[in-house]
Amino acid sequence: MSRLRALQGYLLLRLLLAPLMLWTIVTVVFLLLRATPGDPVDAILGPRAPAAVKEALREQLGLAQPLWQQYLNYLGQLLRFDLGTSLTSQGEAVTSIIAKHFPATAELGLASLAIAFGLGVLIGSLAAVKSGTAWDVGGRLFGIITYALPLFWLGMLLQLLFAVNLRWLPLGTRYPITETPPQGPTGLYLLDALLNGNFHQLATAFSYLLLPAVTLAIVLSGIFERIVRVNLKQTLVADYVEAARARGIPEHRILIHHALKNALIPVITVLGLTLASLLGGAVLTEVTFSWPGLGQRLYEAIALRDYPTVQGIVVFFAVVVVAASIVIDLLNAWIDPRIHY
């Protein structure tokens, strides 16, 4: 009961701190956008528009107000759960933009995370089991190299190899513009095509998803590989593993049912940090592959100086990361009884 109360107290503390974290992020993004060169009015009308027209639009958009007034107005909008209206999408609400583009980012992120987790655990396990061999050296090199790889460079390299030279996979985007994409309740093309029983759409969506998902997964997999290798090495020399060997339990059962299960506990903690890297990497991946997700939309909004859209997408990403970190901390404490809050 005392452990449950401690966990409830920790959850309450995190929930109380979450608004402070979000307010800090909102403030930093608000100030940075207005400190960088460029004018959204010029992006909308062009630099050669008459000064009177520019000034009228600036008044209409509220950009002529003092900075502190704009800031207070924006905080008031957020308190009403209003992310504002896009300056460049014909008055489209930012919440509508997020709802339209987030399924593409979610599908790319989930696929990348699944591939990265499987690849990292596999290579990390091989490196730990075959410690001191070429497998171990290769695993360490894999973790270092993939973590340091520029994501956009890797994406263009894979595009050049598999899309341009070999022509095995599409070069970019999410679905052919000449075909109707899968329709369904989730917005995830793979899942909607599966629910509809349309295997042609499923195969097409998978072929377009594979290259960007693998690109992002390769970069993220190094994180999992390094953690699994280090923790599995320590677990394989633990007393309970030696006792299992003494009882004659086969090595593969010791690895899967005893050592690997405990070695994966720290990986759960890293999932929260990986989610932040995943969203950041999704921006570069989506731009490289013209993937129509929130990352691509954020990049376009930054280029067009669309303040509300940039602020809204960043706030949404921040909420996702904060919520996921709280859930993962609680899940980690529930799985590992050694953790106390």
Side-chain angles (χ1 to χ4, degrees), residues 142-166:
F142 176 85
I144 295 171
I145 293 174
T146 54
Y147 191 75
L149 275 177
L151 197 151
F152 64 91
W153 177 83
L154 177 63
M156 290 188 290
L157 190 66
L158 294 180
Q159 282 179 319
L160 184 63
L161 177 61
F162 292 104
V164 177
N165 292 336
L166 298 177

Side-chain angles (χ1 to χ4, degrees), residues 176-197:
I177 58 174
T178 56
E179 299 184 24
T180 302
Q183 304 296 316
T186 67
L188 309 178
Y189 284 179
L190 291 182
L191 184 56
D192 287 339
L194 193 60
L195 292 175
N196 296 333

Side-chain angles (χ1 to χ4, degrees), residues 90-163:
Q90 299 180 347
E92 186 178 10
V94 176
T95 51
S96 176
I97 294 174
I98 292 173
K100 182 190 301 181
H101 294 277
F102 179 65
T105 297
E107 186 168 49
L108 175 62
L110 291 173
S112 302
L113 194 59
I115 297 172
F117 182 80
L119 187 62
V121 170
L122 175 62
I123 297 177
S125 300
L126 286 174
V129 171
K130 300 182 180 296
S131 179
T133 66
W135 287 98
D136 190 13
V137 175
R140 280 182 286 177
L141 287 175
F142 176 85
I144 295 171
I145 293 174
T146 54
Y147 191 75
L149 275 177
L151 197 151
F152 64 91
W153 177 83
L154 177 63
M156 290 188 290
L157 190 66
L158 294 180
Q159 282 179 319
L160 184 63
L161 177 61
F162 292 104

Side-chain angles (χ1 to χ4, degrees), residues 17-304:
L17 289 175
L20 178 61
M21 297 169 61
L22 293 176
W23 171 76
T24 304
I25 293 171
V26 166
T27 302
V28 170
V29 173
F30 181 90
L31 294 176
L32 284 178
L33 280 175
R34 284 152 180 82
T36 52
D39 187 353
V41 173
D42 287 339
I44 297 172
L45 298 177
R48 297 185 178 180
V53 176
K54 288 185 178 181
E55 189 60 31
L57 181 60
R58 192 171 284 107
E59 288 281 352
Q60 178 184 345
L61 298 177
L63 299 176
Q65 297 176 343
L67 186 61
W68 63 269
Q69 186 66 50
Q70 295 181 44
Y71 177 66
L72 292 180
N73 291 341
Y74 183 62
L75 288 183
Q77 286 182 339
L78 290 181
L79 291 176
R80 298 192 301 270
F81 299 100
D82 180 10
L83 296 179
T85 303
S86 171
L87 300 181
T88 58
S89 298
Q90 299 180 347
E92 186 178 10
V94 176
T95 51
S96 176
I97 294 174
I98 292 173
K100 182 190 301 181
H101 294 277
F102 179 65
T105 297
E107 186 168 49
L108 175 62
L110 291 173
S112 302
L113 194 59
I115 297 172
F117 182 80
L119 187 62
V121 170
L122 175 62
I123 297 177
S125 300
L126 286 174
V129 171
K130 300 182 180 296
S131 179
T133 66
W135 287 98
D136 190 13
V137 175
R140 280 182 286 177
L141 287 175
F142 176 85
I144 295 171
I145 293 174
T146 54
Y147 191 75
L149 275 177
L151 197 151
F152 64 91
W153 177 83
L154 177 63
M156 290 188 290
L157 190 66
L158 294 180
Q159 282 179 319
L160 184 63
L161 177 61
F162 292 104
V164 177
N165 292 336
L166 298 177
R167 299 182 182 275
W168 288 355
L169 295 169
L171 184 63
T173 196
R174 193 183 182 195
Y175 207 81
I177 58 174
T178 56
E179 299 184 24
T180 302
Q183 304 296 316
T186 67
L188 309 178
Y189 284 179
L190 291 182
L191 184 56
D192 287 339
L194 193 60
L195 292 175
N196 296 333
N198 192 324
F199 295 102
H200 169 72
Q201 288 184 335
L202 179 66
T204 303
F206 179 78
S207 67
Y208 276 81
L209 174 64
L210 186 59
L211 199 55
V214 168
T215 301
L216 184 53
I218 289 175
V219 175
L220 295 177
S221 62
I223 302 173
F224 294 109
E225 185 278 333
R226 297 170 74 178
I227 294 172
V228 170
R229 182 178 60 83
V230 171
N231 285 280
L232 188 55
K233 274 187 175 184
Q234 295 175 350
T235 306
L236 286 173
V237 296
D239 292 340
Y240 68 91
V241 173
E242 294 295 337
R245 289 195 181 104
R247 291 198 300 270
I249 299 176
E251 192 68 25
H252 69 277
R253 290 191 59 190
I254 293 175
L255 176 64
I256 296 174
H257 296 287
H258 298 277
L260 187 58
K261 183 171 64 174
N262 289 313
L264 287 179
I265 290 177
V267 176
I268 298 174
T269 304
V270 178
L271 281 174
L273 302 175
T274 306
L275 181 62
S277 302
L278 181 68
L279 293 175
V283 175
L284 293 175
T285 306
E286 289 177 11
V287 172
T288 302
F289 288 91
S290 300
W291 187 264
L294 272 184
Q296 173 77 6
R297 190 64 185 83
L298 176 63
Y299 173 79
E300 295 171 355
I302 292 174
L304 294 173

